Each structure stands twice: as structure tokens, then as C-alpha cells.
Amino acid sequence: MERQHNYLIELVIVGLGGGIGGSLRYILSLIPIIGHLFLITMGINWLGALLLAIFGAYLSQVSNQLSLWQPFIGTGIIGGFTTFSTMILQINQLASHNYLIAGGYIFFTIFGGIIMVNIGRKIGRQFDEVTT
């Protein structure tokens, strides 16, 4: 029974985090002129990769006392904030007009994300060094 109760708590926590992350993404889409461009989506995905890597690297070095923060921030906020399905739709739309731009978008999104993860891991590890 207690195990099921924990799943329900995590479900609520993820849902709240997802609402926050999705709302933040929506707010960015309202930026005049650039809010609906594919570059905003790429930036959101890069930022999400960076933040998730920072968070993951930090949590891997601290105790489990932050365990409820993991689904709230990682799956909820960052998962709700990033936009994989939007990225795929935009790739399809770009490819219908110009394959080179669509290919560049894929390349820069993926490799930019990899760079952000590596930067984020380094930052996350430094957080633990500062707090100890």
C-alpha cells in the first residue's frame, strides 16, 4: 500500500512540474517575431539538456534525500519544458521547403544538445564541490 502511495505522490509531483515546464515553454512561444521560429525550439531543447545534465550530475553526488525533487524537476519541469515532438514537426515542415536547412537544424540541435550535456555535467559537479 505504501509503495502505491509513493507512486501517486510522484505522479502528482511530475504533473505539477510538467505544468510549470509546459507553461514556461508556452511563454517563450509568445515572444514577438521569434516565438514560433524553430530556433526557439532548438534553444529550449539545448537549455533543457543543459539543465538536466546539471541536475543529474549534482544529484549523482549527493544523498537520496532529494529523491522527490528528481521527478519534479527532471521528468516534470524539464520534460514539460523541452519539445521533442515540436522539433520533429518543425523538421518535417523545414524539409518540405529545404532539406539543407532541415538537416542543419537536426545537426545543430543534436550536437548542440550533446555540448550542453557535457557543460551541464561539469557545472553540476562543481555545485557539489561548492556545497561541501
Side-chain angles (χ1 to χ4, degrees), residues 98-131:
N98 187 321
Y99 284 111
L100 186 59
I101 293 174
Y105 181 48
I106 294 167
F107 176 83
F108 285 110
T109 298
I110 292 171
F111 289 102
I114 291 169
I115 290 168
M116 292 298 174
V117 164
N118 287 311
I119 292 170
R121 284 182 178 160
K122 289 177 184 176
I123 293 170
R125 289 183 192 121
Q126 289 179 357
F127 278 141
D128 185 50
E129 292 172 8
V130 170
T131 59

Side-chain angles (χ1 to χ4, degrees), residues 54-125:
I54 290 170
F55 182 64
Y58 174 74
L59 286 181
S60 71
Q61 297 180 13
V62 297
S63 69
N64 286 339
Q65 68 189 36
L66 299 175
S67 64
L68 287 179
W69 287 104
Q70 292 171 331
F72 177 69
I73 294 173
T75 306
I77 294 175
I78 297 172
F81 180 66
T82 56
T83 56
F84 182 77
S85 58
T86 301
M87 181 189 75
I88 297 302
L89 178 64
Q90 289 173 340
I91 289 168
N92 188 42
Q93 291 169 341
L94 289 169
S96 70
H97 298 290
N98 187 321
Y99 284 111
L100 186 59
I101 293 174
Y105 181 48
I106 294 167
F107 176 83
F108 285 110
T109 298
I110 292 171
F111 289 102
I114 291 169
I115 290 168
M116 292 298 174
V117 164
N118 287 311
I119 292 170
R121 284 182 178 160
K122 289 177 184 176
I123 293 170
R125 289 183 192 121

